[in-house]
Amino acid sequence: MTVSAVELPELWMPYPVRGNPHLPDLRAESETWAREMGMLADDEGPAAPRAIWTRSQFHAMTVDQLTAWTLPDAGPAELRLNHRFNIWALAWDDYFAATFKRTGDLPAALEFTARLHAFLRPEPGARLPEPVNAVERGIADLQRDLFPARLAHWRRDFNVALAKYIDAGVLELANSLGGRVPDLIEYAPFRRESFAAHTAPYSVELATGARIPEQIRHSRVVRGLLDAFMDVMGLANDIASYEREVHEERDVNNLVVVIGTSLGIPLHEAVPAAVHLVNARLRDFDRLGHGELPLLVQRSGLHHGERAELAAWLRGACGFLSGLHAWYTGAPRYVPADPAVTEQHRRGAGERPPATPSVARLSP
């Protein structure tokens, strides 16, 4: 049985999706960087050696639309920078799946990951190895631009998050090869790492220019808010990508599989349970952000500028989640492409997402 055969409650999304006005410019250069990094092959003629996508595969992912939906407030330079990071993260994911997960080559995956660690250097101007593939070229190029002066404080934490992201790929592969389904309690924190969700607060800060005030950054409310923010991203992705991950890649690291195995229930019960869990985490985020956070602000005595900055960051985080939701429920990577929608995207007409289908229609 597949997810598409199960009647499901819908994923809840209370925040309206907003488009970034700079999307047309992003579209115009969408494949330039990916081609420079060697991630793209032409659809005509022999494929470039070790290219990750064909041109048609790349455009079907609509990474430019993903970036514009998740960062509606970003300026052109910030949007372009995060777009390149999104391309790189998807390139790593697809390269790792095709090269190691589908072949079961754990030793080669360990070697690839160890090399990639050498590119995750927090020191400014650190000497990097010579890249030998598109994934390495991409991260080496990003290290030069991801941390402008106002985001220099992110250099260490961002690279730590990326290290956990690539390490999680190896652990996922080991789990699948050994038939070890992660425990339900341990899975949510692990999924934050395997989805690179710890980089998302950076993306919101990049787009909005706003930081969570230091005075409350480590409070219970803010920690809970960030955990819920990250959980919604990765756990919702598990539902959207279930068919591709479980049936094509034979992956056991998926919320639906985890719930079914941990609770001993069949797929037709596990999938709705997964949807309810994602919705519960989004309700936690909404309650903390719009219920408990204002009370914390009052108790902490934040001044007007700090309150405005926090409000801008929270609005950006809500936009990030609604943009991801629109992408999961509308991108050809997850749902069968609607020719009318595909043509609209190709022409750049309109910035509103396609009508959101029910989760029961999601497929790879």
Side-chain angles (χ1 to χ4, degrees), residues 29-331:
E29 61 160 35
S30 182
E31 66 181 72
T32 302
W33 184 76
R35 190 174 296 283
E36 289 174 353
M37 297 302 106
M39 298 171 182
L40 285 186
D42 289 323
D43 287 340
E44 301 83 16
R50 299 185 72 80
I52 298 170
W53 305 298
T54 64
R55 187 170 180 268
S56 57
Q57 288 172 331
F58 177 75
H59 284 287
M61 292 191 300
T62 60
V63 191
D64 50 358
Q65 186 72 76
L66 163 68
T67 309
W69 278 342
T70 54
L71 304 180
D73 303 309
E78 292 76 18
L79 193 70
R80 185 181 306 113
L81 182 57
N82 208 85
H83 181 237
R84 292 180 178 183
F85 173 68
N86 286 340
I87 292 172
W88 179 84
L90 289 168
W92 176 88
D93 187 47
D94 285 356
Y95 181 90
F96 195 92
T99 309
F100 308 117
K101 285 187 175 180
R102 287 174 182 159
T103 63
D105 194 343
L106 183 59
L110 286 165
E111 181 181 353
F112 168 74
T113 301
R115 270 193 57 86
L116 204 52
H117 267 280
F119 292 86
L120 305 178
R121 300 288 297 276
E123 319 90 69
R127 185 177 180 84
L128 303 180
E130 186 65 28
V132 298
N133 56 54
V135 176
E136 291 182 356
R137 278 190 294 275
I139 195 59
D141 188 76
L142 284 170
Q143 288 288 344
R144 290 190 285 268
D145 299 315
L146 272 174
F147 311 106
R150 70 179 178 85
L151 290 170
H153 58 282
W154 264 100
R155 180 178 289 274
R156 179 186 177 279
D157 288 347
F158 194 91
N159 279 293
V160 167
L162 287 189
K164 291 179 178 179
Y165 175 52
I166 62 175
D167 285 346
V170 174
L171 184 55
E172 285 184 335
L173 177 57
N175 285 342
S176 294
L177 291 176
R180 178 190 178 273
V181 178
D183 178 81
L184 180 58
I185 301 302
E186 73 183 32
Y187 187 66
F190 174 68
R191 190 65 179 115
R192 296 170 203 159
E193 297 179 356
S194 67
F195 191 72
H198 289 280
T199 67
Y202 157 90
S203 297
V204 175
E205 191 172 325
L206 174 73
T208 62
R211 296 179 65 179
I212 298 174
E214 195 64 32
Q215 186 176 344
I216 64 171
R217 182 182 298 274
H218 302 292
S219 66
R220 175 195 61 82
V221 172
V222 171
R223 288 199 311 269
L225 179 78
L226 290 174
D227 285 349
F229 175 58
M230 292 186 286
D231 286 347
V232 171
M233 288 184 275
L235 299 180
N237 178 269
D238 278 0
I239 298 168
S241 58
Y242 173 87
E243 312 285 2
R244 177 169 55 87
E245 291 181 353
V246 176
H247 291 291
E248 294 181 22
E249 299 172 10
R250 301 188 181 279
D251 200 339
V252 299
N253 305 276
N254 183 281
L255 179 64
V256 176
V257 177
V258 168
I259 287 179
T261 302
S262 295
L263 301 183
I265 58 178
L267 179 67
H268 71 273
E269 296 178 15
V271 183
V275 175
H276 286 308
L277 179 58
V278 174
N279 287 345
R281 291 305 279 149
L282 185 53
R283 285 194 297 271
D284 289 339
F285 173 84
D286 192 67
R287 172 181 55 79
L288 288 164
H290 298 98
E292 294 195 34
L293 194 60
L295 298 176
L296 175 64
V297 167
Q298 291 178 4
R299 292 197 305 269
S300 302
L302 297 182
H303 61 66
H304 177 74
E306 290 172 323
R307 294 185 182 205
E309 196 165 356
L310 179 61
W313 190 93
L314 183 60
R315 183 171 185 263
C318 294
F320 195 95
L321 292 179
S322 66
L324 267 181
H325 179 268
W327 191 62
Y328 290 159
T329 55

